[in-house]
Amino acid sequence: MKNLYSGIRGTADLSPSETALFLDIVDKSREVIERFAYEEIVLPVLEEKGLFEKSVGENTDIVERQMFKIEGKDIVLRPEGTAQVVRYFLEKSLYKQHDFHKFSYVGPMFRGERPQKGRLRQFYHIGAEAIGSRSFYVDAELISLCSAILENIGVRKFKLRINSLGCFRDKSRLSSFIKQSLQEHKSKLCPDCKRRIRHNPLRVIDCKKEQCRAVVKSLDFKEAHLCKDCQRDFRNLLNFLEETGLKYVYDPYLVRGLDYYTNTVFEIVSESLGSQNAIGAGGRYNNLIKFLGGPDIPAAGFALGIERIMITLKESPPRYSIPVFVAYSADADSNAVYGILSNLRKSGINCDSDYCGKSLKAQMRNAQRRGVRFVVIAGRDELKKNKILLKDMKESRQEEIDIGVLAGKLNSFIKEKKGD
Ligand code: HAM
């Protein structure tokens, strides 16, 4: 019989400490995102299949092989957020309200890839999209936001790889050039790339296989396909990045695996990851909104992969610990004990107790293991006098105090001892 307590391959269960790290990453990202004035939106996990076919592209790995479809329906679990944000933008006709919009999102994405370290079938994106401007300052802002988020989270060693695919026309020119140039080298390419030459020649450029890399490296196409305007914008962007101290590596072989990109594309890579070394990626998609039936509005954005960020972080934040534990002796009135616990919580104090009838000694051990600073000890005789013992675990001191003043005292102790 199938084991019913095995998780789905390519999905991850996060333990409490991993969840603490996950939430810490999200909190620290939001802090920075707010500073850059991107407004968070929450969009559904389910979307029309056609949205991704048209935007990400029918001949991309994501659409061809990786989308999770709902049986019998044209609905999929979203593989990415950009197309979805554009769908939302168009559905609500947001371009009629203002010229420029900045959105951010955090949520799960789904791709049926072959699972390995850093490559999951359900993973989380922290993304940002700026819609309505062609200015290269927007590209610079997104890159700077990306790196500020990573710095705030504590990711140290990362590199920005950047390239420009040029406008739609430039990109088509590059695509034809690659297609033509690769014909004579076809036999040296991997089976996937042999197929890509016909449907998606640009993808051959960033194939990771050695044999394909060697062929691509022999072709010379650095910036040659870019029109004057696109060349100027790209130069301006790189100059501005240099002026603001943002280090980058210009990589003419960076093309990205989603069809909607035009002009700037970038990837943030970390040395501490293996083959799946991109912790984030993004770029411009100036034609996507029009392509999906909307007005001619340019846009750009990026997404960071939370699980890959987690792998790069060696240290977890300190585990969440409660400041107060309510312990009791076996003969204490349990209603009074749980009443104290409930009142402390009503007063805003994070606390816990024992629910398994453990001995007082075992409860004290439990409190110690959890790093609790104060233990409220409720004994039968003290409770009768409306009192308890309050023990400061760090200073090994205890005093008898009235239950009526307990919450107030604990609140001021906790405030006083914070960081102590
Ligand atoms: P993407 O490169 O497909 O771009 O994904 C962005 C990031 O998500 C990657 O750099 C990686 O960190 C993480 N990621 C992707 N696939 C997986 C996976 N199977 N398992 C774990 N992590 C993964 C996009 O999705 C674009 N929508 C980004 C964008 C936003 N471009 C413009 N705006």
Side-chain angles (χ1 to χ4, degrees):
M1 195 177 104
K2 196 163 188 274
N3 177 353
L4 293 178
Y5 48 83
S6 295
I8 305 287
R9 215 163 94 84
T11 65
D13 299 320
L14 300 186
S15 67
S17 65
E18 288 164 333
T19 303
L21 178 59
F22 179 99
L23 294 176
D24 191 56
I25 291 171
V26 173
D27 286 349
K28 289 185 171 147
S29 303
R30 284 187 171 134
E31 233 171 72
V32 183
I33 286 170
E34 240 176 79
R35 203 183 311 147
F36 280 68
Y38 284 70
E39 290 182 294
E40 184 158 345
I41 48 176
V42 178
L43 300 179
V45 156
L46 300 179
E47 281 288 346
E48 283 283 338
K49 177 160 75 82
L51 174 68
F52 301 104
E53 287 170 347
K54 199 149 170 74
S55 55
V56 173
E58 280 194 278
N59 297 310
T60 57
D61 292 347
I62 294 179
V63 168
E64 243 177 16
R65 299 200 276 258
Q66 299 170 354
M67 285 206 292
F68 284 106
K69 303 180 181 82
I70 305 290
E71 213 180 310
K73 303 221 171 3
D74 285 333
I75 294 175
V76 294
L77 300 181
R78 62 178 179 192
E80 63 103 50
T82 308
Q84 184 176 47
V85 172
V86 169
R87 190 271 301 150
Y88 161 73
F89 175 79
L90 289 175
E91 188 172 351
K92 302 280 182 275
S93 302
L94 297 182
Y95 49 88
K96 291 184 182 156
Q97 295 175 9
H98 320 283
D99 289 342
F100 190 54
H101 296 259
K102 300 207 289 192
F103 297 116
S104 72
Y105 49 90
V106 177
M109 305 293 157
F110 304 84
R111 295 181 195 173
E113 302 195 67
R114 201 162 35 81
Q116 64 179 81
K117 187 179 171 206
R119 197 206 268 157
L120 293 154
R121 290 181 166 173
Q122 176 177 336
F123 57 95
Y124 281 78
H125 268 173
I126 297 170
E129 314 289 346
I131 305 179
S133 167
R134 256 170 234 283
S135 166
F136 68 84
Y137 290 112
V138 169
D139 306 38
E141 174 175 286
L142 286 161
I143 290 170
S144 142
L145 170 58
C146 224
S147 81
I149 290 175
L150 292 172
E151 268 158 28
N152 202 38
I153 291 170
V155 178
R156 295 282 166 253
K157 288 189 185 151
F158 58 88
K159 257 195 205 140
L160 165 67
R161 293 166 63 217
I162 191 164
N163 188 23
S164 174
L165 301 172
C167 55
F168 192 69
R169 275 221 206 132
D170 294 348
K171 198 177 154 186
S172 312
R173 210 171 21 244
L174 175 64
S175 188
S176 315
F177 169 78
I178 299 290
K179 193 172 189 168
Q180 249 175 17
S181 316
L182 288 177
Q183 289 306 335
E184 56 182 292
H185 302 284
K186 203 168 171 180
S187 59
K188 297 180 215 149
L189 300 173
C190 74
D192 276 344
C193 284
K194 277 189 187 126
R195 232 173 10 92
R196 283 173 184 145
I197 293 189
R198 214 149 74 109
H199 300 296
N200 202 349
L202 283 184
R203 291 290 292 143
V204 179
I205 300 182
D206 79 346
C207 177
K208 305 283 179 287
K209 303 222 171 68
E210 267 314 311
Q211 67 211 81
C212 304
R213 287 187 89 101
V215 171
V216 169
K217 289 250 149 95
S218 69
L219 313 176
D220 186 21
F221 54 85
K222 266 193 186 176
E223 286 188 56
H225 63 287
L226 296 185
C227 66
K228 277 215 168 67
D229 286 352
C230 291
Q231 242 177 64
R232 186 203 54 219
D233 280 352
F234 190 46
R235 287 276 131 227
N236 282 340
L237 170 63
L238 297 185
N239 285 340
F240 185 68
L241 292 180
E242 277 163 37
E243 265 177 43
T244 50
L246 268 162
K247 291 207 177 75
Y248 65 84
V249 178
Y250 164 53
D251 181 352
Y253 303 106
L254 179 68
V255 290
R256 311 269 304 116
L258 302 98
D259 281 357
Y260 51 63
Y261 289 112
T262 53
N263 299 87
T264 315
V265 283
F266 62 91
E267 237 173 43
I268 310 275
V269 291
S270 161
E271 286 156 19
S272 49
L273 289 170
S275 59
Q276 304 303 311
N277 65 353
I279 36 181
R284 280 212 157 261
Y285 44 96
N286 286 347
N287 292 76
L288 180 59
I289 294 174
K290 194 166 171 212
F291 196 57
L292 289 177
D296 188 6
I297 296 176
F302 71 80
L304 293 165
I306 300 187
E307 289 78 2
R308 292 200 190 162
I309 293 175
M310 288 172 77
I311 300 174
T312 67
L313 295 173
K314 297 251 155 26
E315 278 173 35
S316 305
R319 254 196 89 170
Y320 166 79
S321 69
I322 45 158
V324 177
F325 189 89
V326 178
Y328 53 90
S329 60
D331 57 2
D333 170 356
S334 6
N335 274 5
V337 171
Y338 291 107
I340 292 173
L341 188 71
S342 159
N343 277 332
L344 292 180
R345 287 173 177 162
K346 278 185 195 147
S347 312
I349 295 167
N350 298 352
C351 53
D352 204 2
S353 184
D354 170 73
Y355 303 92
C356 304
K358 290 256 159 46
S359 71
L360 185 56
K361 211 166 146 193
Q363 292 177 57
M364 295 306 282
R365 267 203 309 270
N366 182 13
Q368 190 141 35
R369 182 179 55 80
R370 294 170 68 176
V372 169
R373 176 74 192 252
F374 299 102
V375 180
V376 173
I377 304 168
R380 192 179 72 149
D381 298 340
E382 287 84 2
L383 284 177
K384 273 194 180 147
K385 295 185 279 171
N386 250 338
K387 288 181 189 293
I388 50 86
L389 287 176
L390 180 62
K391 180 164 183 174
D392 182 331
M393 299 289 273
K394 191 163 178 202
E395 293 180 7
S396 294
R397 248 198 340 239
Q398 66 183 44
E399 59 178 321
E400 195 178 71
I401 57 172
D402 282 338
I403 291 175
V405 298
L406 177 65
K409 255 200 162 157
L410 274 173
N411 260 326
S412 53
F413 275 161
I414 291 167
K415 235 188 246 158
E416 201 180 295
K417 314 264 183 208
K418 233 179 196 164
D420 165 355

